[in-house]
């Protein structure tokens, strides 16, 4: 595998709205991020991925952009951004921007113009279609419930929005639109940013026939995925983007790619395919999904989770590069989902961190993950702010007759606001996030779970992450070692080896039971050394056959 800095880096995602408020308006902002750069430096991350900071009416918290070349008022100014870039760079931290170009806001000037008439210069920047049989152009549903088409009476046509009504899809079939996007990207790169995380970038190429999609049992609309996800034309666009923009800079790129399979990822993120550096695949995030997707998921099965992650590890080996993540702003908190956020909160958060960071790929840490932040259960649906939650509640409860309790359970388990509660900096009011009133409630557990109590505690989750990141810098095998799964069918243990010149043995207990670890393959070694563990060290003679304590993880270096 080719060696590069972005394979050796750890990326930390900031969701600015919930990170740190500097001016008391209850909303995180760029000066707040600057205040915390030393905290991030101390943690040891290499790169920050900033969720969108551009001008936005905030229908989807910044993923609806009304000006790609300016900063959202609540977050600050372009001057603040330049300051952030300078301050981050002076600490050796790179900045990656979110690039949201599958859609814009309906308040973007392109869309305001596009709506005006069918011969407007910007008309074809978006996807307009006439009614079909007096109804929407096809049966597609949007990701945020309801039809994916909205009627606009000015020109008596519908426009496509795969997300909210305020997020019209951009028309990538139009070369002028593509050129605008490339110019905008170039403008940011020339400012000195270090790369892009590309929002649903595998949605940009669409089947121009716009055929109806399958309507699954119970669904109110058809599924657009076969027409809009991972189409061959998306690869053509990305190759063009790479040629015209990305290839001119030494940057890192990661594309969000729901529904992408190994074969897709090999193209998007192939070592030589000249598209992106890596993708976010979603398969491991979907484990346990039920008939209503994440809203009625069942407890996850470790065997299934391992199968998916092992498939991606071996599937991309030598050909493409994995991203590694448990968390982001769209996912519940991992310690609540795959760990135990009660009795084994500290231990299980460390086990999960080890399990992920020891895999092959570039690890991502989502803000607060390094503190073991947990899911939240707000009492009222009115406490939730996420458009996906609000619309899904309306569709499932009000339109389809599911109970309030059913939906609240779904939201508690998997809703996106679990990730969006303010970062718990200390145990003062509002967790030290703001002196004002926070835009979304703080998780009430901030008095026990917060950064101030962890930074100087050698046993904290924070310091464990710090150690993991340091070990990654010192042990090339963590980055480049080849992955092999052990005990594929074991229901409680996730164990694997990594091989470069030496070998690492990584053993993780995903349960609250003490379990026997007995390797199912011969592992040859003459010496072993414990590299990392989440329990008090324990001498073990035979490291291929031993008892693991609840949620224990141990990593051994074998020679
Ligand atoms: C994926 C982003 O991660 C999510 O937060 C957003 O709602 C959608 N794309 C639409 O931009």
């Amino acid at each position: 595998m080719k060696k590069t800095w972005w394979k050796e880096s750890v990326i930390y995602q900031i969701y600015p709205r919930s990170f740190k408020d500097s001016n008391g308006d209850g909303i995180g902002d760029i000066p707040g991020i600057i205040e915390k750069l030393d905290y991030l430096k101390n943690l040891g991350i290499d790169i920050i991925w900033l969720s969108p900071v551009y001008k936005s009416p905030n229908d989807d918290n910044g993923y609806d952009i009304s000006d790609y070349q300016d900063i959202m008022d609540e977050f600050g100014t372009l001057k603040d951004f330049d300051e952030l870039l300078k301050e981050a760079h002076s600490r050796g931290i790179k900045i990656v921007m979110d690039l949201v170009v599958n859609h814009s806001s309906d308040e973007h000037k392109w869309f305001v113009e596009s709506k005006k008439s069918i011969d407007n210069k910007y008309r074809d920047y978006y996807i307009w279609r006439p009614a079909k049989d007096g109804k929407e152009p096809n049966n597609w549903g949007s990701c945020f419930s309801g039809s994916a088409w909205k009627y606009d009476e000015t020109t008596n046509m519908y426009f496509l929005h795969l997300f909210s009504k305020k997020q019209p899809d951009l028309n990538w079939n139009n070369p002028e639109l593509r050129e605008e996007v490339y110019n905008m990207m170039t403008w940011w790169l020339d400012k000195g940013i270090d790369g892009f995380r590309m929002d649903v970038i595998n949605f940009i190429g669409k089947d121009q026939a716009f055929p109806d999609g399958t309507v699954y049992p119970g669904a109110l609309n058809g599924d657009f995925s076969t027409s809009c996800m991972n189409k061959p034309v998306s690869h053509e666009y990305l190759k063009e983007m790479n040629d015209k923009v990305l290839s001119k800079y030494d940057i890192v790129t990661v594309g969000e790619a729901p529904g992408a399979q190994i074969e897709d990822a090999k193209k998007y993120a192939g070592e030589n395919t000249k598209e992106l550096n890596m993708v976010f695949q979603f398969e491991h995030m979907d484990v346990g999904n039920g008939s209503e997707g994440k809203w009625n998921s069942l407890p996850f099965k470790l065997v299934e989770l391992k199968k998916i992650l092992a498939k991606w590890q071996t599937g991309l080996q030598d050909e493409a590069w994995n991203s590694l993540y448990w968390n982001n702003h769209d996912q519940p908190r991992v310690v609540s989902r795959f760990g135990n956020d009660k009795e084994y909160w500290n231990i299980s958060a460390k086990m999960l961190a080890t399990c992920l960071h020891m895999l092959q790929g570039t690890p991502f840490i989502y803000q607060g993950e390094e503190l073991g932040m947990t899911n939240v259960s707000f009492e009222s649906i009115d406490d939730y702010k996420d458009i996906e939650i609000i619309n899904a509640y309306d569709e499932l409860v009000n339109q389809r007759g599911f109970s309030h309790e059913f939906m609240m359970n779904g939201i508690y388990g998997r809703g996106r606001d679990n990730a969006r509660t303010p970062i718990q900096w200390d145990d003062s009011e509002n967790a030290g996030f703001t002196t004002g009133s926070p835009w979304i409630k703080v998780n009430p557990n901030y008095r026990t779970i917060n950064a101030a109590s962890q930074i100087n505690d050698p046993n904290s989750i924070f310091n464990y992450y710090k150690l993991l990141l340091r070990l990654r810098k010192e042990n090339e095998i963590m980055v480049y070692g080849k992955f092999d799964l052990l005990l594929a069918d074991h229901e409680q243990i996730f164990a694997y080896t990594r091989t470069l010149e030496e070998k690492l043995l990584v053993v993780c207990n995903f349960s609250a039971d003490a379990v026997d670890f007995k390797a199912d393959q011969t592992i040859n070694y003459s010496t072993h050394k414990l590299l990392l563990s989440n329990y008090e060290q324990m001498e073990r003679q035979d490291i291929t056959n031993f008892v693991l304590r609840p949620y224990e993880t141990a990593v051994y270096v074998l020679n």
Side-chain angles (χ1 to χ4, degrees):
M1 291 225 112
K2 269 184 258 160
K3 294 186 178 169
T4 53
W5 59 267
W6 47 264
K7 292 180 178 168
E8 293 162 18
S9 297
V10 172
I11 306 187
Y12 185 93
Q13 183 192 353
I14 291 184
Y15 193 69
R17 210 174 177 75
S18 305
F19 191 66
K20 177 73 175 100
D21 175 21
S22 72
N23 62 359
D25 66 357
I27 298 172
D29 47 42
I30 294 175
I33 299 173
I34 297 173
E35 269 177 47
K36 295 294 180 188
L37 285 173
D38 288 331
Y39 166 85
L40 297 176
K41 182 72 194 162
N42 180 20
L43 178 58
I45 57 110
D46 307 285
I47 302 171
I48 293 171
W49 149 28
L50 271 187
S51 271
V53 292
Y54 314 92
K55 275 238 174 346
S56 164
N58 282 307
D59 194 49
D60 185 18
N61 290 352
Y63 283 90
D64 49 319
I65 296 168
S66 54
D67 187 340
Y68 288 101
Q69 284 167 246
D70 205 348
I71 301 293
M72 189 190 300
D73 293 333
E74 292 97 320
F75 290 175
T77 61
L78 266 175
K79 206 166 146 270
D80 293 325
F81 179 84
D82 291 339
E83 181 72 11
L84 169 63
L85 196 59
K86 193 177 105 222
E87 290 296 324
H89 283 171
S90 76
R91 289 167 177 81
I93 296 175
K94 296 181 190 288
I95 300 271
V96 161
M97 298 287 277
D98 217 309
L99 182 78
V100 189
V101 289
N102 172 67
H103 44 269
S104 73
S105 162
D106 66 340
E107 296 182 31
H108 193 290
K109 64 172 191 253
W110 298 338
F111 190 74
V112 173
E113 285 297 315
S114 183
K115 265 168 62 157
K116 287 184 178 163
S117 67
I118 56 166
D119 47 18
N120 188 282
K121 168 171 182 312
Y122 293 97
R123 182 65 170 183
D124 288 337
Y125 276 40
Y126 295 87
I127 301 168
W128 293 95
R129 290 288 180 280
K132 200 170 140 202
D133 308 325
K135 289 198 308 217
E136 285 82 8
N138 69 24
N139 70 356
W140 295 351
S142 97
C143 295
F144 293 157
S145 310
S147 168
W149 297 94
K150 183 164 188 269
Y151 177 69
D152 192 69
E153 61 187 15
T154 320
T155 55
N156 188 27
M157 282 211 206
Y158 289 81
F159 67 86
L160 180 71
H161 61 89
L162 295 182
F163 292 89
S164 95
K165 294 183 176 62
K166 288 184 65 63
Q167 292 168 298
D169 278 56
L170 288 162
N171 178 16
W172 277 73
N173 201 28
N174 176 356
E176 277 171 50
L177 175 272
R178 300 204 299 274
E179 221 35 61
E180 293 257 21
V181 171
Y182 302 154
N183 290 340
M184 176 270 284
M185 292 171 70
T186 302
W187 184 82
W188 281 104
L189 289 165
D190 286 344
K191 241 184 192 311
I193 67 157
D194 304 287
F196 292 108
R197 172 270 183 187
M198 303 186 185
D199 194 69
V200 288
I201 202 67
N202 63 334
F203 286 22
I204 58 178
K206 295 171 173 90
D207 182 340
Q208 295 300 304
F210 294 90
D212 276 344
T214 310
V215 184
Y216 292 107
L220 302 178
N221 298 96
D223 177 11
F224 64 71
S225 52
T226 47
S227 299
C228 302
M229 281 156 72
N230 303 307
K231 304 304 285 179
V233 65
S234 285
H235 295 287
E236 284 171 35
Y237 297 151
L238 286 172
K239 283 192 201 306
E240 181 184 78
M241 179 196 284
N242 186 294
D243 178 50
K244 295 195 166 176
V245 186
L246 308 177
S247 59
K248 306 203 157 85
Y249 302 85
D250 183 19
I251 53 172
V252 57
T253 54
V254 49
E256 188 196 27
Q261 301 296 313
I262 304 267
E263 289 313 310
D264 302 306
K266 281 186 188 166
K267 295 182 197 149
Y268 290 124
E271 291 271 304
N272 301 308
T273 51
K274 297 197 163 54
E275 295 187 21
L276 304 174
N277 296 144
M278 53 195 145
V279 292
F280 291 131
Q281 59 84 16
F282 276 63
E283 279 192 87
H284 68 306
M285 287 289 105
D286 293 339
V287 288
N289 279 8
S291 50
E292 298 304 324
K294 66 183 177 184
W295 304 122
N296 63 345
S297 51
L298 301 160
F300 82 102
K301 291 201 169 65
L302 182 65
V303 172
E304 216 178 298
L305 183 69
K306 289 193 289 189
K307 197 170 163 199
I308 294 167
L309 289 172
K311 181 182 78 177
W312 281 89
Q313 289 286 298
T314 47
L316 299 194
Q317 175 69 36
D318 296 329
E319 285 184 67
W321 191 248
N322 269 296
S323 72
L324 304 171
Y325 74 98
W326 288 135
N327 271 143
N328 60 42
H329 63 292
D330 294 331
Q331 300 295 339
R333 293 286 180 180
V334 69
V335 67
S336 301
R337 185 173 181 194
F338 296 146
N340 177 323
D341 62 10
K342 309 263 164 7
E343 199 184 342
Y344 295 105
W345 165 72
N346 176 299
I347 289 284
S348 71
K350 292 172 179 172
M351 181 280 289
L352 288 162
T354 313
C355 185
L356 190 81
H357 285 244
M358 289 290 161
L359 293 173
Q360 190 189 71
T362 298
F364 286 71
I365 300 173
Y366 177 67
Q367 62 181 33
E369 185 180 337
E370 77 283 11
L371 303 171
M373 278 181 64
T374 70
N375 279 356
V376 72
S377 299
F378 293 138
E379 224 169 281
S380 162
I381 182 69
D382 300 330
D383 291 328
Y384 287 89
K385 305 292 176 201
D386 172 23
I387 182 168
E388 182 187 53
I389 293 181
I390 295 167
N391 290 0
Y393 183 94
D394 182 59
E395 179 175 321
L396 273 82
V397 178
N398 301 335
Q399 301 176 48
R400 293 180 51 204
F402 287 90
S403 72
H404 169 77
E405 290 68 33
F406 165 91
M407 194 57 197
M408 292 311 279
N409 276 332
I411 294 169
Y412 293 159
R414 299 281 294 278
R416 306 198 297 181
D417 279 342
N418 284 306
R420 299 176 182 187
T421 60
I423 293 306
Q424 297 164 203
W425 293 108
D426 58 41
D427 65 1
S428 68
E429 209 183 340
N430 295 320
F433 162 70
T434 179
T435 54
S437 156
W439 70 275
I440 185 170
K441 282 188 176 169
V442 172
N443 190 320
N445 64 19
Y446 71 90
R447 295 211 189 264
T448 45
I449 301 179
N450 61 66
S453 68
Q454 294 195 29
I455 290 171
N456 297 317
D457 171 4
N459 189 39
S460 68
I461 299 169
F462 177 87
N463 276 308
Y464 191 88
Y465 269 86
K466 197 171 156 174
L467 174 61
L468 258 179
L469 269 46
R470 183 166 62 74
L471 290 175
R472 190 181 166 84
K473 292 267 177 280
E474 295 167 356
N475 295 275
E476 215 179 24
I477 188 170
M478 275 176 74
V479 181
Y480 296 109
K482 177 175 171 292
F483 168 96
D484 286 287
L485 185 67
L486 303 174
L487 299 173
D489 298 322
H490 200 291
E491 289 171 5
Q492 291 155 304
I493 296 176
F494 193 161
Y496 54 88
T497 56
R498 299 286 305 280
T499 310
L500 205 56
E501 269 139 35
E502 51 193 9
K503 220 183 239 311
L504 288 183
L505 170 67
V506 182
V507 188
C508 304
N509 180 1
F510 271 68
S511 82
D513 305 325
V515 277
D516 288 328
F517 167 68
K518 196 165 183 309
D520 57 347
Q521 298 162 24
T522 315
I523 302 175
N524 293 320
Y525 65 95
S526 46
T527 63
H528 69 263
K529 193 175 116 250
L530 184 75
L531 183 68
L532 183 67
S533 167
N534 58 349
Y535 272 83
E536 291 270 300
Q537 298 214 4
M538 187 190 246
E539 265 314 309
R540 285 177 171 131
Q541 289 311 318
D542 181 0
I543 49 98
T544 60
N545 185 359
F546 61 87
V547 179
L548 277 166
R549 292 163 280 184
Y551 290 102
E552 179 169 0
T553 181
V555 182
Y556 292 97
V557 185
L558 311 181
N559 275 299

